[in-house]
Amino acid sequence: NEEIIVMKNIMVTGGSGFIGSNFVNFLIEKGCNVINLDKLTYAGNEQNNHHLLSNDRYKFICGDINDEDLVREILRDNNIDCLVNFAAESHVDNSINTPEEFLKTNIMGTFKLLQEALIHSKRYKDFRFLHVSTDEVYGSLKLNDLPFSESNKYSPNSPYSASKASSDHLVRAWHKTFGLNVITTNCSNNYGPKQNPEKLIPLTIINAINAKKIPLYGDGSNIRDWLYVVDHCEGIYKCMLRGKTGEVYNIGGDNEKTNKYIVNKICSILDDVLPVKKNKNMPKNMNSYSELIENVKDRPGHDFRYSIDTSKIREQLKWEPAETFETGILKTINWYIENFDRFKDSSLD
Ligand code: NAD
């Protein structure tokens, strides 16, 4: 396969987190050699890659993207063709409470990676830097606004999205000023196996199974576009192989749902696949997981709606999602049920 020869040795940062570990797995299945640099913060878990530990095409290095000597060494010693940057602080609520770590990793960390990438690119002419970012950099939409396109102005509202927006600008500048071969992807909300239980979908599944309250911000009317994580991996892979240097690609599921819909949908699937009466955690007087849903005080600065125009990646790179929300959410719920032991103590009260 011609494409794989060009991009054989891939350095992934943040490859022990949710999307990164799914992407590592995706690359291994495609025949690549993968080096994963991850600091293993609370959000990273090498258990996500435990099935690869005996695979000689996978190597894990525990370290920080801010450690430039380490990054330089990894790039040089492994003849890296592409660096895919997932490493980030990623939870909006944490960015409101403790923003500094977001600036250190998301902004300074990306800067350090870009500097080392530039050095490496002098020896490896086809080397590429792929930066994984979020649709949250574009800000918030009203109900009838058009979806975000790649030319949308940046308008980040949370410390998280502001830090990601900064990193996107750095990536752009290192291309425009220094000629680094870069691509940026901006994707909507991902869901699927291996996501940290702090996020809406795994939190809902785990709290429901544990018969704990399921918190729903405000009245639950906020809208997100949801994409199954493996479809995101496929989109990143296509950008890595065939994207045009210096370009930005939006990736999304064309699947806008209110948070209220998501939470109720999960409860109704759980009612089928793990009936309340067979779940010994559930009080006898409850008939549906939806009875656990509780509206809680809204997040400050909570963006109302995200929506993604995916026509560029669909037309130029022939990408489209394989999963519908119905198939993807069922796979996700089944994965959390099968791996429940790992998460049984992760409910948030
Ligand atoms: P995650 O929080 O699950 O994983 C982040 C990983 O980065 C963890 O394994 C963590 O240990 C590692 N990490 C953090 N700081 C590091 C550092 N300084 N050095 C090395 N490793 C470090 O996040 P995720 O949901 O998998 O998101 C991955 C990337 O994708 C992020 O950049 C995020 O902004 C972006 N993104 C996420 C979503 C989503 O819905 N989850 C959507 C669009 C874009």
Side-chain angles (χ1 to χ4, degrees):
N1 184 331
E2 192 193 352
E3 292 165 342
I4 290 173
I5 294 164
V6 178
M7 292 287 174
K8 180 80 181 159
N9 301 324
I10 316 298
M11 175 174 172
V12 172
T13 67
S16 312
F18 166 44
I19 310 175
S21 62
N22 279 282
F23 190 65
V24 165
N25 194 55
F26 186 94
L27 288 178
I28 293 288
E29 284 178 2
K30 294 284 180 191
C32 299
N33 300 315
V34 181
I35 315 279
N36 169 22
L37 173 66
D38 196 297
K39 189 177 159 184
L40 294 185
T41 67
Y42 79 94
N45 191 338
E46 251 312 88
Q47 228 186 313
N48 285 335
N49 298 315
H50 76 278
H51 60 295
L52 298 177
L53 290 180
S54 59
N55 189 318
D56 55 13
R57 286 190 289 107
Y58 174 70
K59 197 179 335 171
F60 170 63
I61 297 172
C62 187
D64 194 321
I65 58 170
N66 278 295
D67 182 345
E68 57 254 79
D69 294 338
L70 178 61
V71 172
R72 188 174 315 150
E73 206 177 289
I74 297 172
L75 288 167
R76 189 192 54 219
D77 294 352
N78 298 285
N79 300 334
I80 296 296
D81 299 306
C82 185
L83 189 165
V84 185
N85 180 29
F86 292 92
E89 288 293 331
S90 69
H91 191 38
V92 175
D93 290 344
N94 291 345
S95 84
I96 295 167
N97 298 324
T98 52
E100 194 165 332
E101 212 49 45
F102 286 70
L103 275 57
K104 282 189 193 154
T105 288
N106 301 4
I107 306 177
M108 280 310 291
T110 303
F111 160 68
K112 294 283 177 73
L113 291 177
L114 286 166
Q115 288 289 72
E116 295 311 319
L118 196 55
I119 294 170
H120 185 69
S121 70
K122 305 288 182 221
R123 293 179 61 208
Y124 288 85
K125 294 292 170 220
D126 295 327
F127 170 79
R128 168 162 274 187
F129 184 98
L130 195 149
H131 182 61
V132 179
S133 192
T134 164
D135 61 351
E136 301 191 28
V137 297
Y138 297 123
S140 179
L141 296 171
K142 298 195 186 73
L143 203 53
N144 295 317
D145 286 345
L146 289 175
F148 302 128
S149 77
E150 288 79 0
S151 59
N152 245 86
K153 81 173 170 63
Y154 271 35
S155 198
N157 293 318
S158 72
Y160 163 66
S161 54
S163 69
K164 291 297 290 185
S166 307
S167 67
D168 293 7
H169 289 322
L170 292 176
V171 172
R172 178 188 158 92
W174 260 244
H175 172 68
K176 294 279 181 191
T177 304
F178 305 113
L180 188 65
N181 178 350
V182 304
I183 288 190
T184 299
T185 58
N186 293 91
C187 188
S188 57
N189 278 39
N190 283 216
Y191 67 98
K194 304 179 184 175
Q195 187 166 28
N196 190 294
E198 66 191 353
K199 306 279 167 60
L200 179 69
I201 287 182
L203 176 69
T204 301
I205 299 169
I206 290 161
N207 273 22
I209 298 174
N210 276 331
K212 295 262 171 70
K213 291 281 183 207
I214 300 169
L216 185 59
Y217 275 136
D219 61 1
S221 64
N222 297 62
I223 296 169
R224 300 287 177 264
D225 174 64
W226 291 94
L227 180 67
Y228 190 65
V229 65
V230 181
D231 285 327
H232 185 195
C233 293
E234 174 83 36
I236 295 169
Y237 186 68
K238 289 209 151 147
C239 291
M240 178 177 113
L241 296 180
R242 294 206 289 276
K244 219 167 134 230
T245 182
E247 293 285 312
V248 173
Y249 296 89
N250 282 353
I251 309 178
D254 288 333
N255 173 48
E256 286 180 50
K257 302 277 187 258
T258 63
N259 289 346
K260 193 173 171 180
Y261 173 90
I262 296 288
V263 166
N264 277 293
K265 178 81 181 172
I266 292 170
C267 290
S268 91
I269 295 175
L270 277 174
D271 285 340
D272 287 340
V273 298
L274 190 70
V276 165
K277 298 293 173 205
K278 291 193 178 156
N279 179 347
K280 48 187 187 321
N281 296 325
M282 288 294 273
K284 295 263 174 307
N285 59 346
M286 284 210 173
N287 296 308
S288 165
Y289 292 100
S290 59
E291 292 166 49
L292 297 166
I293 299 171
E294 180 183 59
N295 294 83
V296 297
K297 189 168 177 283
D298 208 356
R299 166 191 284 166
H302 201 182
D303 288 338
F304 174 62
R305 172 177 169 242
Y306 308 131
S307 171
I308 290 261
D309 176 350
T310 56
S311 48
K312 181 174 175 181
I313 190 169
R314 283 176 186 266
E315 283 159 25
Q316 296 186 10
L317 303 182
K318 309 289 174 239
W319 170 86
E320 60 177 18
E323 302 291 341
T324 63
F325 187 68
E326 274 60 36
T327 59
I329 195 67
L330 190 57
K331 282 186 182 180
T332 306
I333 290 173
N334 284 330
W335 187 87
Y336 279 96
I337 292 174
E338 280 158 26
N339 293 276
F340 193 64
D341 268 358
R342 208 177 123 180
F343 299 100
K344 60 180 188 297
D345 300 324
S346 305
S347 297
L348 294 188
D349 291 317

